[in-house]
Amino acid sequence: MGKIQNDLGEYRKSYGKSALTEDSISDNPMELFQKWFYEVDASEGVDETNAMTLSTIGLDGFPKNRVVLLKKYTYEGFIFYTNYTSEKGQAISIDPSVCISFFWANMERQVIIKGKAEKIAENLSDGYFESRPEGSKLGALVSNQSSVIPSREFLEAELRKLEKAYAGKEIERPDHWGGYLVRPVSIEFWQGRPNRLHDRIRYSLQEDFHWKMERLAP
Ligand SMILES: Cc1cc2nc3c(=O)[nH]c(=O)nc-3n(C[C@H](O)[C@H](O)[C@H](O)COP(=O)(O)O)c2cc1C
């Protein structure tokens, strides 16, 4: 082994903030998601409650995770925005199966969602794009996300060009940028408990569109 060695075996934490019991939760996982989201958002110690890890199955056969921001959720599912030609966009175009997860450390909670991603309607992406600050709009335009670029200077020069070109003009949403809706097929809620006896409740979507709820061993 080289010089770097850091044994983390002694890192250990006991969880005891909350519990998840069948009698206290909704038949619909989106309602439980909303309850948890509100509770975490109202609590101290989470910077971006809506930051989630999105995992796709890459064209190279590897899964890949990255963080994106949840911008909306409804009974239908979870919406985030990105560049459709990015590595994740290309992956989704071949295989829409994705996994998203949240780890809200301050409340000792994890949510894991498996689902299928689909592009949202163009007018919805337009609406969200329109609401973004100008700098973010130009950023979406300038960045050919996930492509290799020669340098930081190249990116900044491209941005300056666009700033000139669009001075005083309206910036429209480029076709390559927009939202995805992840329609969930399973949603698992994990609540840390003492002695590693954590609570895990999984909801799975059935063929008749009702949600089946099961408790999993921690
Ligand atoms: C806190 C945080 C929030 C992010 N939000 C987004 C987002 O909403 N959309 C997005 O495309 N990338 C977002 N990113 C950047 C992605 O993690 C990633 O670098 C980018 O989307 C390119 O991923 P890809 O090359 O795998 O497609 C965010 C990163 C962080 C750390």
mmCIF file of all heavy atoms in Angstrom, residues 48 50-52 54 56 64-71 79-91 128 132 145-147 177-178, ligand 1:
data_model
loop_
_atom_site.group_PDB
_atom_site.id
_atom_site.type_symbol
_atom_site.label_atom_id
_atom_site.label_comp_id
_atom_site.label_asym_id
_atom_site.label_seq_id
_atom_site.Cartn_x
_atom_site.Cartn_y
_atom_site.Cartn_z
ATOM 1 N N GLU A 48 -29.315 21.649 1.443
ATOM 2 C CA GLU A 48 -30.144 21.516 0.247
ATOM 3 C C GLU A 48 -30.977 20.243 0.379
ATOM 4 O O GLU A 48 -30.560 19.178 -0.069
ATOM 5 C CB GLU A 48 -29.272 21.466 -1.005
ATOM 6 C CG GLU A 48 -28.576 22.783 -1.292
ATOM 7 C CD GLU A 48 -27.827 22.789 -2.614
ATOM 8 O OE1 GLU A 48 -26.800 22.107 -2.688
ATOM 9 O OE2 GLU A 48 -28.270 23.447 -3.563
ATOM 10 N N ASN A 50 -33.367 19.355 -1.195
ATOM 11 C CA ASN A 50 -33.770 18.815 -2.500
ATOM 12 C C ASN A 50 -32.616 18.248 -3.320
ATOM 13 O O ASN A 50 -32.803 17.896 -4.486
ATOM 14 C CB ASN A 50 -34.512 19.884 -3.315
ATOM 15 C CG ASN A 50 -33.649 21.086 -3.639
ATOM 16 O OD1 ASN A 50 -32.735 21.402 -2.875
ATOM 17 N ND2 ASN A 50 -33.920 21.749 -4.740
ATOM 18 N N ALA A 51 -31.424 18.167 -2.736
ATOM 19 C CA ALA A 51 -30.312 17.543 -3.464
ATOM 20 C C ALA A 51 -30.467 16.026 -3.400
ATOM 21 O O ALA A 51 -30.662 15.460 -2.325
ATOM 22 C CB ALA A 51 -28.981 17.971 -2.853
ATOM 23 N N MET A 52 -30.413 15.386 -4.554
ATOM 24 C CA MET A 52 -30.607 13.933 -4.583
ATOM 25 C C MET A 52 -29.571 13.294 -5.493
ATOM 26 O O MET A 52 -29.073 13.925 -6.429
ATOM 27 C CB MET A 52 -32.025 13.593 -5.072
ATOM 28 C CG MET A 52 -32.347 14.127 -6.447
ATOM 29 S SD MET A 52 -34.106 13.878 -6.846
ATOM 30 C CE MET A 52 -34.100 14.239 -8.622
ATOM 31 N N LEU A 54 -28.707 10.848 -8.360
ATOM 32 C CA LEU A 54 -29.384 10.211 -9.497
ATOM 33 C C LEU A 54 -28.426 9.199 -10.098
ATOM 34 O O LEU A 54 -27.296 9.524 -10.444
ATOM 35 C CB LEU A 54 -29.735 11.266 -10.555
ATOM 36 C CG LEU A 54 -30.118 10.716 -11.928
ATOM 37 C CD1 LEU A 54 -31.544 10.164 -11.907
ATOM 38 C CD2 LEU A 54 -29.983 11.792 -13.008
ATOM 39 N N THR A 56 -27.805 6.366 -13.105
ATOM 40 C CA THR A 56 -28.257 5.866 -14.410
ATOM 41 C C THR A 56 -27.387 4.682 -14.806
ATOM 42 O O THR A 56 -26.294 4.490 -14.268
ATOM 43 C CB THR A 56 -28.132 6.954 -15.497
ATOM 44 O OG1 THR A 56 -26.803 7.486 -15.454
ATOM 45 C CG2 THR A 56 -29.137 8.075 -15.298
ATOM 46 N N LYS A 64 -23.824 5.055 -12.932
ATOM 47 C CA LYS A 64 -23.149 6.295 -12.535
ATOM 48 C C LYS A 64 -24.099 7.143 -11.692
ATOM 49 O O LYS A 64 -25.248 7.333 -12.050
ATOM 50 C CB LYS A 64 -22.697 7.099 -13.756
ATOM 51 C CG LYS A 64 -21.922 8.357 -13.346
ATOM 52 C CD LYS A 64 -21.506 9.226 -14.508
ATOM 53 C CE LYS A 64 -20.927 10.543 -13.973
ATOM 54 N NZ LYS A 64 -20.646 11.507 -15.040
ATOM 55 N N ASN A 65 -23.583 7.602 -10.570
ATOM 56 C CA ASN A 65 -24.342 8.489 -9.683
ATOM 57 C C ASN A 65 -23.840 9.905 -9.844
ATOM 58 O O ASN A 65 -22.647 10.121 -10.043
ATOM 59 C CB ASN A 65 -24.112 8.137 -8.214
ATOM 60 C CG ASN A 65 -24.492 6.724 -7.873
ATOM 61 O OD1 ASN A 65 -25.307 6.114 -8.544
ATOM 62 N ND2 ASN A 65 -23.894 6.210 -6.818
ATOM 63 N N ARG A 66 -24.737 10.842 -9.687
ATOM 64 C CA ARG A 66 -24.361 12.250 -9.562
ATOM 65 C C ARG A 66 -25.510 12.943 -8.850
ATOM 66 O O ARG A 66 -26.642 12.452 -8.849
ATOM 67 C CB ARG A 66 -24.022 12.921 -10.900
ATOM 68 C CG ARG A 66 -25.169 13.341 -11.741
ATOM 69 C CD ARG A 66 -25.880 12.211 -12.401
ATOM 70 N NE ARG A 66 -25.219 11.678 -13.582
ATOM 71 C CZ ARG A 66 -25.454 10.502 -14.066
ATOM 72 N NH1 ARG A 66 -26.349 9.694 -13.498
ATOM 73 N NH2 ARG A 66 -24.837 10.061 -15.136
ATOM 74 N N VAL A 67 -25.185 14.104 -8.267
ATOM 75 C CA VAL A 67 -26.222 14.836 -7.535
ATOM 76 C C VAL A 67 -26.938 15.786 -8.486
ATOM 77 O O VAL A 67 -26.295 16.461 -9.297
ATOM 78 C CB VAL A 67 -25.584 15.629 -6.369
ATOM 79 C CG1 VAL A 67 -26.611 16.509 -5.682
ATOM 80 C CG2 VAL A 67 -24.958 14.663 -5.367
ATOM 81 N N VAL A 68 -28.244 15.810 -8.428
ATOM 82 C CA VAL A 68 -29.051 16.822 -9.132
ATOM 83 C C VAL A 68 -30.083 17.363 -8.135
ATOM 84 O O VAL A 68 -30.261 16.799 -7.052
ATOM 85 C CB VAL A 68 -29.770 16.268 -10.397
ATOM 86 C CG1 VAL A 68 -28.769 15.859 -11.472
ATOM 87 C CG2 VAL A 68 -30.690 15.109 -10.055
ATOM 88 N N LEU A 69 -30.746 18.434 -8.528
ATOM 89 C CA LEU A 69 -31.708 19.043 -7.614
ATOM 90 C C LEU A 69 -33.137 18.680 -7.996
ATOM 91 O O LEU A 69 -33.535 18.844 -9.153
ATOM 92 C CB LEU A 69 -31.553 20.565 -7.615
ATOM 93 C CG LEU A 69 -30.214 21.081 -7.082
ATOM 94 C CD1 LEU A 69 -30.153 22.604 -7.190
ATOM 95 C CD2 LEU A 69 -29.969 20.641 -5.636
ATOM 96 N N LEU A 70 -33.866 18.210 -7.020
ATOM 97 C CA LEU A 70 -35.295 17.950 -7.220
ATOM 98 C C LEU A 70 -35.997 19.300 -7.305
ATOM 99 O O LEU A 70 -35.844 20.143 -6.425
ATOM 100 C CB LEU A 70 -35.829 17.160 -6.022
ATOM 101 C CG LEU A 70 -37.336 16.865 -6.023
ATOM 102 C CD1 LEU A 70 -37.708 15.947 -7.181
ATOM 103 C CD2 LEU A 70 -37.754 16.230 -4.695
ATOM 104 N N LYS A 71 -36.759 19.507 -8.370
ATOM 105 C CA LYS A 71 -37.418 20.805 -8.541
ATOM 106 C C LYS A 71 -38.923 20.737 -8.353
ATOM 107 O O LYS A 71 -39.582 21.767 -8.206
ATOM 108 C CB LYS A 71 -37.080 21.376 -9.925
ATOM 109 C CG LYS A 71 -35.664 21.883 -10.016
ATOM 110 C CD LYS A 71 -35.489 23.082 -9.097
ATOM 111 C CE LYS A 71 -34.041 23.531 -9.013
ATOM 112 N NZ LYS A 71 -33.901 24.732 -8.184
ATOM 113 N N ILE A 79 -39.330 15.527 -10.464
ATOM 114 C CA ILE A 79 -38.821 16.250 -11.645
ATOM 115 C C ILE A 79 -37.488 16.935 -11.328
ATOM 116 O O ILE A 79 -37.340 17.594 -10.290
ATOM 117 C CB ILE A 79 -39.850 17.302 -12.121
ATOM 118 C CG1 ILE A 79 -41.080 16.589 -12.691
ATOM 119 C CG2 ILE A 79 -39.242 18.232 -13.171
ATOM 120 C CD1 ILE A 79 -42.177 17.520 -13.191
ATOM 121 N N PHE A 80 -36.516 16.723 -12.235
ATOM 122 C CA PHE A 80 -35.264 17.484 -12.165
ATOM 123 C C PHE A 80 -34.947 18.006 -13.561
ATOM 124 O O PHE A 80 -35.523 17.541 -14.556
ATOM 125 C CB PHE A 80 -34.105 16.617 -11.629
ATOM 126 C CG PHE A 80 -33.728 15.469 -12.544
ATOM 127 C CD1 PHE A 80 -32.730 15.631 -13.508
ATOM 128 C CD2 PHE A 80 -34.360 14.244 -12.465
ATOM 129 C CE1 PHE A 80 -32.379 14.584 -14.358
ATOM 130 C CE2 PHE A 80 -34.023 13.191 -13.311
ATOM 131 C CZ PHE A 80 -33.027 13.358 -14.262
ATOM 132 N N TYR A 81 -34.026 18.965 -13.633
ATOM 133 C CA TYR A 81 -33.672 19.585 -14.920
ATOM 134 C C TYR A 81 -32.206 19.350 -15.229
ATOM 135 O O TYR A 81 -31.363 19.359 -14.329
ATOM 136 C CB TYR A 81 -33.965 21.090 -14.889
ATOM 137 C CG TYR A 81 -35.453 21.346 -14.876
ATOM 138 C CD1 TYR A 81 -36.157 21.390 -13.672
ATOM 139 C CD2 TYR A 81 -36.154 21.494 -16.067
ATOM 140 C CE1 TYR A 81 -37.536 21.585 -13.662
ATOM 141 C CE2 TYR A 81 -37.532 21.683 -16.064
ATOM 142 C CZ TYR A 81 -38.212 21.730 -14.856
ATOM 143 O OH TYR A 81 -39.568 21.904 -14.862
ATOM 144 N N THR A 82 -31.938 19.182 -16.506
ATOM 145 C CA THR A 82 -30.562 18.925 -16.900
ATOM 146 C C THR A 82 -30.396 19.124 -18.399
ATOM 147 O O THR A 82 -31.318 19.560 -19.092
ATOM 148 C CB THR A 82 -30.137 17.496 -16.476
ATOM 149 O OG1 THR A 82 -28.722 17.377 -16.591
ATOM 150 C CG2 THR A 82 -30.819 16.424 -17.323
ATOM 151 N N ASN A 83 -29.209 18.769 -18.857
ATOM 152 C CA ASN A 83 -28.909 18.835 -20.285
ATOM 153 C C ASN A 83 -29.216 17.459 -20.887
ATOM 154 O O ASN A 83 -28.674 16.445 -20.433
ATOM 155 C CB ASN A 83 -27.416 19.179 -20.426
ATOM 156 C CG ASN A 83 -27.013 19.403 -21.859
ATOM 157 O OD1 ASN A 83 -27.320 18.586 -22.728
ATOM 158 N ND2 ASN A 83 -26.315 20.492 -22.108
ATOM 159 N N TYR A 84 -30.095 17.446 -21.881
ATOM 160 C CA TYR A 84 -30.521 16.155 -22.451
ATOM 161 C C TYR A 84 -29.390 15.413 -23.181
ATOM 162 O O TYR A 84 -29.496 14.221 -23.427
ATOM 163 C CB TYR A 84 -31.688 16.378 -23.424
ATOM 164 C CG TYR A 84 -33.016 16.726 -22.775
ATOM 165 C CD1 TYR A 84 -33.867 17.660 -23.373
ATOM 166 C CD2 TYR A 84 -33.440 16.114 -21.599
ATOM 167 C CE1 TYR A 84 -35.105 17.976 -22.801
ATOM 168 C CE2 TYR A 84 -34.667 16.431 -21.021
ATOM 169 C CZ TYR A 84 -35.494 17.357 -21.630
ATOM 170 O OH TYR A 84 -36.710 17.668 -21.064
ATOM 171 N N THR A 85 -28.338 16.155 -23.575
ATOM 172 C CA THR A 85 -27.246 15.479 -24.292
ATOM 173 C C THR A 85 -26.082 15.122 -23.356
ATOM 174 O O THR A 85 -25.051 14.637 -23.802
ATOM 175 C CB THR A 85 -26.707 16.350 -25.456
ATOM 176 O OG1 THR A 85 -26.203 17.568 -24.898
ATOM 177 C CG2 THR A 85 -27.796 16.663 -26.459
ATOM 178 N N SER A 86 -26.252 15.387 -22.057
ATOM 179 C CA SER A 86 -25.199 15.047 -21.086
ATOM 180 C C SER A 86 -25.047 13.528 -20.992
ATOM 181 O O SER A 86 -25.844 12.773 -21.562
ATOM 182 C CB SER A 86 -25.576 15.604 -19.713
ATOM 183 O OG SER A 86 -26.770 14.969 -19.254
ATOM 184 N N GLU A 87 -24.069 13.105 -20.220
ATOM 185 C CA GLU A 87 -23.873 11.654 -20.049
ATOM 186 C C GLU A 87 -25.142 11.003 -19.501
ATOM 187 O O GLU A 87 -25.574 9.938 -19.960
ATOM 188 C CB GLU A 87 -22.684 11.403 -19.109
ATOM 189 C CG GLU A 87 -22.288 9.934 -19.050
ATOM 190 C CD GLU A 87 -21.036 9.682 -18.221
ATOM 191 O OE1 GLU A 87 -20.272 10.625 -17.932
ATOM 192 O OE2 GLU A 87 -20.822 8.502 -17.871
ATOM 193 N N LYS A 88 -25.784 11.657 -18.524
ATOM 194 C CA LYS A 88 -27.007 11.077 -17.954
ATOM 195 C C LYS A 88 -28.143 11.084 -18.963
ATOM 196 O O LYS A 88 -28.946 10.160 -19.032
ATOM 197 C CB LYS A 88 -27.403 11.814 -16.659
ATOM 198 C CG LYS A 88 -27.998 13.187 -16.875
ATOM 199 C CD LYS A 88 -28.341 13.880 -15.575
ATOM 200 C CE LYS A 88 -27.227 14.730 -15.027
ATOM 201 N NZ LYS A 88 -26.549 15.658 -15.971
ATOM 202 N N GLY A 89 -28.202 12.172 -19.780
ATOM 203 C CA GLY A 89 -29.252 12.264 -20.792
ATOM 204 C C GLY A 89 -29.121 11.147 -21.817
ATOM 205 O O GLY A 89 -30.116 10.510 -22.212
ATOM 206 N N GLN A 90 -27.879 10.898 -22.228
ATOM 207 C CA GLN A 90 -27.649 9.819 -23.198
ATOM 208 C C GLN A 90 -27.992 8.462 -22.590
ATOM 209 O O GLN A 90 -28.583 7.609 -23.243
ATOM 210 C CB GLN A 90 -26.196 9.829 -23.654
ATOM 211 C CG GLN A 90 -25.858 11.057 -24.486
ATOM 212 C CD GLN A 90 -24.421 11.025 -24.984
ATOM 213 O OE1 GLN A 90 -23.892 9.971 -25.284
ATOM 214 N NE2 GLN A 90 -23.804 12.185 -25.059
ATOM 215 N N ALA A 91 -27.612 8.299 -21.332
ATOM 216 C CA ALA A 91 -27.901 7.019 -20.662
ATOM 217 C C ALA A 91 -29.414 6.789 -20.610
ATOM 218 O O ALA A 91 -29.906 5.700 -20.931
ATOM 219 C CB ALA A 91 -27.306 7.021 -19.256
ATOM 220 N N TYR A 128 -40.141 26.534 -16.564
ATOM 221 C CA TYR A 128 -39.116 26.532 -15.520
ATOM 222 C C TYR A 128 -37.886 27.322 -15.965
ATOM 223 O O TYR A 128 -37.323 28.110 -15.186
ATOM 224 C CB TYR A 128 -38.723 25.094 -15.113
ATOM 225 C CG TYR A 128 -37.607 25.121 -14.112
ATOM 226 C CD1 TYR A 128 -37.825 25.614 -12.831
ATOM 227 C CD2 TYR A 128 -36.319 24.726 -14.460
ATOM 228 C CE1 TYR A 128 -36.792 25.718 -11.921
ATOM 229 C CE2 TYR A 128 -35.279 24.821 -13.561
ATOM 230 C CZ TYR A 128 -35.516 25.314 -12.288
ATOM 231 O OH TYR A 128 -34.481 25.426 -11.400
ATOM 232 N N ARG A 132 -35.670 30.974 -14.332
ATOM 233 C CA ARG A 132 -34.291 30.956 -13.813
ATOM 234 C C ARG A 132 -33.631 32.329 -13.975
ATOM 235 O O ARG A 132 -33.970 33.075 -14.897
ATOM 236 C CB ARG A 132 -33.457 29.915 -14.573
ATOM 237 C CG ARG A 132 -34.026 28.509 -14.496
ATOM 238 C CD ARG A 132 -33.124 27.567 -15.242
ATOM 239 N NE ARG A 132 -32.142 26.959 -14.362
ATOM 240 C CZ ARG A 132 -30.967 26.486 -14.759
ATOM 241 N NH1 ARG A 132 -30.603 26.577 -16.017
ATOM 242 N NH2 ARG A 132 -30.141 25.928 -13.907
ATOM 243 N N GLN A 145 -22.861 20.124 -21.589
ATOM 244 C CA GLN A 145 -22.572 19.353 -20.379
ATOM 245 C C GLN A 145 -22.021 17.959 -20.677
ATOM 246 O O GLN A 145 -22.555 17.252 -21.516
ATOM 247 C CB GLN A 145 -23.844 19.231 -19.534
ATOM 248 C CG GLN A 145 -23.595 18.801 -18.108
ATOM 249 C CD GLN A 145 -24.894 18.735 -17.301
ATOM 250 O OE1 GLN A 145 -25.851 18.106 -17.716
ATOM 251 N NE2 GLN A 145 -24.920 19.395 -16.161
ATOM 252 N N SER A 146 -20.984 17.597 -19.975
ATOM 253 C CA SER A 146 -20.310 16.297 -20.015
ATOM 254 C C SER A 146 -19.338 16.149 -21.188
ATOM 255 O O SER A 146 -18.693 15.102 -21.318
ATOM 256 C CB SER A 146 -21.281 15.107 -20.017
ATOM 257 O OG SER A 146 -22.306 15.290 -19.075
ATOM 258 N N SER A 147 -19.216 17.173 -22.048
ATOM 259 C CA SER A 147 -18.222 17.070 -23.128
ATOM 260 C C SER A 147 -16.865 17.529 -22.593
ATOM 261 O O SER A 147 -16.785 18.277 -21.611
ATOM 262 C CB SER A 147 -18.645 17.925 -24.325
ATOM 263 O OG SER A 147 -18.629 19.283 -23.953
ATOM 264 N N TRP A 177 -31.943 21.275 -23.356
ATOM 265 C CA TRP A 177 -32.037 21.449 -21.898
ATOM 266 C C TRP A 177 -33.490 21.348 -21.468
ATOM 267 O O TRP A 177 -34.378 21.938 -22.089
ATOM 268 C CB TRP A 177 -31.473 22.819 -21.513
ATOM 269 C CG TRP A 177 -31.282 23.003 -20.033
ATOM 270 C CD1 TRP A 177 -30.143 22.823 -19.315
ATOM 271 C CD2 TRP A 177 -32.285 23.417 -19.087
ATOM 272 N NE1 TRP A 177 -30.366 23.070 -17.986
ATOM 273 C CE2 TRP A 177 -31.677 23.447 -17.819
ATOM 274 C CE3 TRP A 177 -33.624 23.748 -19.180
ATOM 275 C CZ2 TRP A 177 -32.353 23.791 -16.660
ATOM 276 C CZ3 TRP A 177 -34.314 24.094 -18.022
ATOM 277 C CH2 TRP A 177 -33.675 24.120 -16.779
ATOM 278 N N GLY A 178 -33.767 20.599 -20.418
ATOM 279 C CA GLY A 178 -35.153 20.497 -19.962
ATOM 280 C C GLY A 178 -35.291 19.527 -18.800
ATOM 281 O O GLY A 178 -34.300 19.083 -18.207
HETATM 282 C C1 LIG B 1 -25.625 20.068 -5.067
HETATM 283 C C2 LIG B 1 -25.548 19.795 -6.559
HETATM 284 C C3 LIG B 1 -26.656 20.070 -7.345
HETATM 285 C C4 LIG B 1 -26.621 19.803 -8.725
HETATM 286 N N1 LIG B 1 -27.752 20.015 -9.463
HETATM 287 C C5 LIG B 1 -27.760 19.678 -10.763
HETATM 288 C C6 LIG B 1 -28.972 19.742 -11.518
HETATM 289 O O1 LIG B 1 -30.053 20.053 -10.998
HETATM 290 N N2 LIG B 1 -28.911 19.419 -12.838
HETATM 291 C C7 LIG B 1 -27.751 19.031 -13.437
HETATM 292 O O2 LIG B 1 -27.767 18.763 -14.649
HETATM 293 N N3 LIG B 1 -26.592 18.929 -12.749
HETATM 294 C C8 LIG B 1 -26.570 19.234 -11.422
HETATM 295 N N4 LIG B 1 -25.417 19.094 -10.696
HETATM 296 C C9 LIG B 1 -24.191 18.641 -11.396
HETATM 297 C C10 LIG B 1 -24.254 17.113 -11.563
HETATM 298 O O3 LIG B 1 -23.899 16.486 -10.348
HETATM 299 C C11 LIG B 1 -23.340 16.599 -12.704
HETATM 300 O O4 LIG B 1 -22.024 17.054 -12.517
HETATM 301 C C12 LIG B 1 -23.809 17.064 -14.073
HETATM 302 O O5 LIG B 1 -25.216 16.994 -14.200
HETATM 303 C C13 LIG B 1 -23.182 16.219 -15.190
HETATM 304 O O6 LIG B 1 -23.513 14.874 -14.996
HETATM 305 P P1 LIG B 1 -23.333 13.752 -16.148
HETATM 306 O O7 LIG B 1 -22.065 14.086 -16.860
HETATM 307 O O8 LIG B 1 -23.274 12.470 -15.414
HETATM 308 O O9 LIG B 1 -24.531 13.861 -17.058
HETATM 309 C C14 LIG B 1 -25.420 19.331 -9.322
HETATM 310 C C15 LIG B 1 -24.315 19.050 -8.514
HETATM 311 C C16 LIG B 1 -24.380 19.278 -7.148
HETATM 312 C C17 LIG B 1 -23.187 18.903 -6.303
#
